[in-house]
């Protein structure tokens, strides 16, 4: 795994697979007609992070010249390719963060995820973004005894001790889970609040608001280099053209090490994920009332039903399938080619829906089970946490990157945070310190520490070796 983290990171490839979201929506976002030579801010990347950074910057500084550069089409990266799942699942990684960072920081991360879900739904309502938003309950179907024991322990602990603005969890027994959620192999289940969204419509909707406020976007403009000037401003080059920027913000997620290998190589490693959209079986509710995760010994799948009133109501989007690969997910690390599918993952995702629901699935649709399948590139960090803030040793260069496949419950609040770090007054910085996780910040100490460690891949997939209540420090 550590050797794969050393593979140089490329720019986004041309001709990527088309996602379900992109096939059902054309945002009509095109490049600004004239080139901009000078800007106050240049944002690299047009996904949810870049869009929310632009949105917040232009709210704070409406007269600023803000330029966005995107290697391919608008929102063509991970945001336009994910599952659209606004789901924290904080209890699944809380024990790891509790062990490595302490209770207060672990609780702060859980509260940020909960706040991000609520803020996403609120932004959609307030700005009237048409994106099939569907606040709903979610359920984690667990078929592994160790995973179930951990879930029981951790959810009980979090319900009793975290408090405040954090998720509350409800547990279901084997019999209840099998009957209520139609999964005949379930050993138990965890239910809590979440939701789903047409992620491509959402991000491009935020982009449209920013464009109305003055954002200048240039698509098919891959950034090839960042050059710091003597006055600490930046020349941002894309092909034969360049922009002179007072400040630069990287919203490049899995591709970040391509631009700054000296800082981020082996610290942010691309990871290719794969999703299918499937027509539901004849016995399935259309739509299901909950979003789902299927948790097992060495991984999980996540599943989102298309809500009532949306295109293809009842369709199921399911992603994952890494457990079927040699070395589990290892072979998909350092992959930046989202123009191809992994046949082994395709077969696994095809098979797993009917397997998870058993006799409750029924017969396949006459048009076939698969409507669409595609891949996308995530950014995974060496410690499983995002990097947000000023890049150490690089004045006026900022980043909000590496969301470990968890961007829908982190990117919006991290964008808010990085803009506050850049532009906030003393009181605003103090408020930020009161809620934003310190462990997310880009610091020289964190970079130095992680460079000394071996990259171990995506963390927090498996349960901790001990339940929280068994740990002596508590």
């Amino acid at each position: 795994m550590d050797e794969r983290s050393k593979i140089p990171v490329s720019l986004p490839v041309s001709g990527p697979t088309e996602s379900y979201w992109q096939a059902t929506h054309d945002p009509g976002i095109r490049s600004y007609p004239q080139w901009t030579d000078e800007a106050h801010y240049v944002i690299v990347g047009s996904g949810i992070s870049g869009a929310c950074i632009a949105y917040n910057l232009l709210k704070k500084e409406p007269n600023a010249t803000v330029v966005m550069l995107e290697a391919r089409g608008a929102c063509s990266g991970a945001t336009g390719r994910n599952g659209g799942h606004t789901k924290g699942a904080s209890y699944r990684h809380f024990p790891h963060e509790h062990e490595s960072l302490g209770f207060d920081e672990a609780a702060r991360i859980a509260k940020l995820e909960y706040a991000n879900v609520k803020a996403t739904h609120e932004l959609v309502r307030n700005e009237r973004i048409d994106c099939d938003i569907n606040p709903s309950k979610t359920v984690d179907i667990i078929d592994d005894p160790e995973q179930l024991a951990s879930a029981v322990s951790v959810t009980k602990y979090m319900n009793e001790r975290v408090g405040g603005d954090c998720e509350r969890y409800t547990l279901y027994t084997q019999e209840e889970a099998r009957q209520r959620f139609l999964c005949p192999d379930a050993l138990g289940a965890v239910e809590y609040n979440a939701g789903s969204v047409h992620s491509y419509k959402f991000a491009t909707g935020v982009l449209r608001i920013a464009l109305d406020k003055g954002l200048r976007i240039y698509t098919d403009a891959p950034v090839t280099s960042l050059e710091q000037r003597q006055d600490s401003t930046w020349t941002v080059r894309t092909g034969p053209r360049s922009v002179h920027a007072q400040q630069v913000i990287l919203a490049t997620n899995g591709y970040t090490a391509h631009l700054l290998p000296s800082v981020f190589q082996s610290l942010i490693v691309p990871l290719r994920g794969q999703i299918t959209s499937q027509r539901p079986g004849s016995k399935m509710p259309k739509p299901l009332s909950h979003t789902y995760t299927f948790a097992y010994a060495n991984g999980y799948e996540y599943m989102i039903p298309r809500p009532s009133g949306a295109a293809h109501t009842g369709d199921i989007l399911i992603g994952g399938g890494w457990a079927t690969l040699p070395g589990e997910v290892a072979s998909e690390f350092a992959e930046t080619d989202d123009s191809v599918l992994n046949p082994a993952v395709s077969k696994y995702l095809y098979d797993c829906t009917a397997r998870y629901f058993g006799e409750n699935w029924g017969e396949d649709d006459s048009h076939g089970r698969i409507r669409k399948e595609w891949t996308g590139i995530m950014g995974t960090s060496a410690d499983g946490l995002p990097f947000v803030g000023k890049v150490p040793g690089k004045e006026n260069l900022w980043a909000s990157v590496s969301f470990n496949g968890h961007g829908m419950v982190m990117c919006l609040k991290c964008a808010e945070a990085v803009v506050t770090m850049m532009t906030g007054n003393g009181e605003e910085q103090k408020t930020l310190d009161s809620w934003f996780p310190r462990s997310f910040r880009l610091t020289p100490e964190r970079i130095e520490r992680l460079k000394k460690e071996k990259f171990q891949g995506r963390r927090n997939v498996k349960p901790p070796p001990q339940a929280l209540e068994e740990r002596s420090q508590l």
Side-chain angles (χ1 to χ4, degrees), residues 13-265:
V13 303
S14 60
T17 53
E18 182 183 56
S19 76
Y20 175 93
W21 311 118
Q22 294 160 338
T24 56
H25 177 63
D26 178 7
I29 294 176
R30 306 292 182 260
S31 289
Y32 192 75
Q34 292 87 35
W35 185 252
T36 303
D37 294 312
E38 300 276 341
H40 295 102
Y41 302 99
V42 166
I43 302 166
V44 186
S46 67
I48 187 172
S49 286
C52 290
I53 290 166
Y55 174 86
N56 282 285
L57 270 176
L58 287 162
K59 280 182 65 177
K60 190 74 180 291
E61 298 186 11
N63 296 319
T65 301
V66 181
V67 166
M68 178 176 285
L69 301 175
E70 170 57 54
R72 302 186 296 203
C75 196
S76 58
T79 300
R81 299 171 173 281
N82 67 30
H85 211 179
T86 52
K87 173 174 178 167
S90 303
Y91 79 93
R92 289 182 57 79
H93 51 83
F94 182 88
H96 298 266
E97 288 146 6
H98 185 286
E99 186 173 53
S100 59
L101 303 170
F103 172 83
D104 289 345
E105 187 71 356
R108 187 176 285 209
I109 293 170
K111 290 177 180 180
L112 177 140
E113 292 176 332
Y114 185 65
N116 199 105
V117 171
K118 293 199 302 182
T120 299
H121 297 174
E122 183 178 351
L123 178 62
V124 169
R125 289 193 300 269
N126 291 346
E127 296 288 359
R128 299 182 179 180
I129 300 171
D130 177 15
C131 60
D132 306 339
I133 192 79
N134 184 42
S136 68
K137 292 288 187 180
T138 190
V139 62
D140 294 354
I141 302 296
I142 303 172
D143 70 359
D144 175 72
E146 188 181 7
Q147 290 271 357
L148 182 60
S150 176
V152 170
S153 170
V154 177
T155 55
K156 178 182 177 183
Y157 179 89
M158 292 183 72
N159 282 344
E160 291 175 352
R161 303 198 192 186
V162 175
D165 289 328
C166 192
E167 192 53 76
R168 305 288 296 178
Y169 302 98
T170 301
L171 291 166
Y172 291 90
T173 65
Q174 175 178 296
E175 183 179 351
E176 291 170 333
R178 292 180 178 187
Q179 182 174 1
R180 187 180 183 93
F181 304 114
L182 309 178
C183 295
D185 293 331
L187 298 182
V190 182
E191 182 187 55
Y192 45 106
N193 291 312
S196 63
V197 64
H198 190 306
S199 52
Y200 189 54
K201 279 187 178 180
F202 172 66
T204 56
V206 176
L207 274 180
R208 284 194 166 283
I209 297 166
L211 287 166
D212 290 342
K213 294 178 181 293
L215 173 68
R216 302 180 182 188
I217 187 172
Y218 298 94
T219 58
D220 299 307
V223 173
T224 51
S225 70
L226 303 171
E227 301 168 11
Q228 191 165 27
R229 299 189 177 194
Q230 287 187 343
D231 61 357
S232 294
T233 61
W234 291 86
T235 297
V236 184
R237 297 196 182 278
T238 170
R241 301 175 297 185
S242 65
V243 186
H244 176 213
Q246 300 300 309
Q247 301 197 65
V248 176
I249 311 101
L250 302 180
T252 42
N253 208 29
Y255 300 99
T256 306
H258 176 79
L259 288 175
L260 285 179
S262 63
V263 179
F264 291 113
Q265 185 69 48

Side-chain angles (χ1 to χ4, degrees), residues 263-264 267 386-393 438-450:
V263 179
F264 291 113
L267 300 190
F387 291 102
V388 182
K390 188 176 83 69
V391 178
R438 289 180 289 275
S439 57
F440 287 13
R441 288 184 181 256
L442 252 173
T443 64
E445 295 78 16
R446 183 181 173 199
I447 296 293
E448 184 178 356
R449 171 175 56 81
L450 292 176

Side-chain angles (χ1 to χ4, degrees), residues 384-400:
L385 302 171
F387 291 102
V388 182
K390 188 176 83 69
V391 178
K394 309 286 185 182
E395 198 66 30
N396 296 321
L397 180 61
W398 305 80
S400 186

Side-chain angles (χ1 to χ4, degrees), residues 391-468:
V391 178
K394 309 286 185 182
E395 198 66 30
N396 296 321
L397 180 61
W398 305 80
S400 186
V401 294
S402 194
F403 293 98
N404 298 279
H406 220 45
M408 293 302 294
V409 294
M410 287 186 175
C411 286
L412 189 149
K413 296 302 287 184
C414 287
E416 178 186 328
V418 77
V419 170
T420 300
M421 292 176 197
M422 295 167 62
T423 66
N425 59 33
E427 190 61 31
E428 290 168 329
Q429 299 283 357
K430 186 177 179 181
T431 299
L432 178 65
D433 289 341
S434 72
W435 64 265
F436 190 68
R438 289 180 289 275
S439 57
F440 287 13
R441 288 184 181 256
L442 252 173
T443 64
E445 295 78 16
R446 183 181 173 199
I447 296 293
E448 184 178 356
R449 171 175 56 81
L450 292 176
K451 282 187 177 292
K452 294 178 181 177
E453 299 178 4
K454 286 188 175 182
F455 183 83
Q456 298 179 29
R458 195 175 184 186
R459 300 188 178 187
N460 310 336
V461 172
K462 299 180 182 180
Q466 293 176 294
L468 278 169

Side-chain angles (χ1 to χ4, degrees), residues 271-347:
L271 171 62
R272 183 170 60 196
Q274 190 160 320
I275 304 179
T276 67
S277 63
Q278 303 187 15
R279 300 174 180 91
S282 60
K283 292 184 180 181
M284 294 290 287
K286 300 175 181 62
L288 287 160
S289 60
H290 290 53
T291 68
Y292 281 62
T293 292
F294 301 96
Y296 45 88
N298 58 337
Y300 62 89
E301 273 77 61
Y302 55 91
M303 190 187 81
I304 306 93
R306 295 291 285 135
S308 297
H312 308 308
T313 292
D315 269 15
I316 288 169
L317 280 73
I318 187 162
W322 288 314
T324 191
L325 300 173
E328 297 175 10
V329 68
S331 61
E332 295 297 277
F333 277 103
E335 282 289 350
T336 55
D337 187 355
D338 54 5
S339 70
V340 298
L341 301 169
N342 185 313
V345 176
S346 293
K347 184 178 187 309

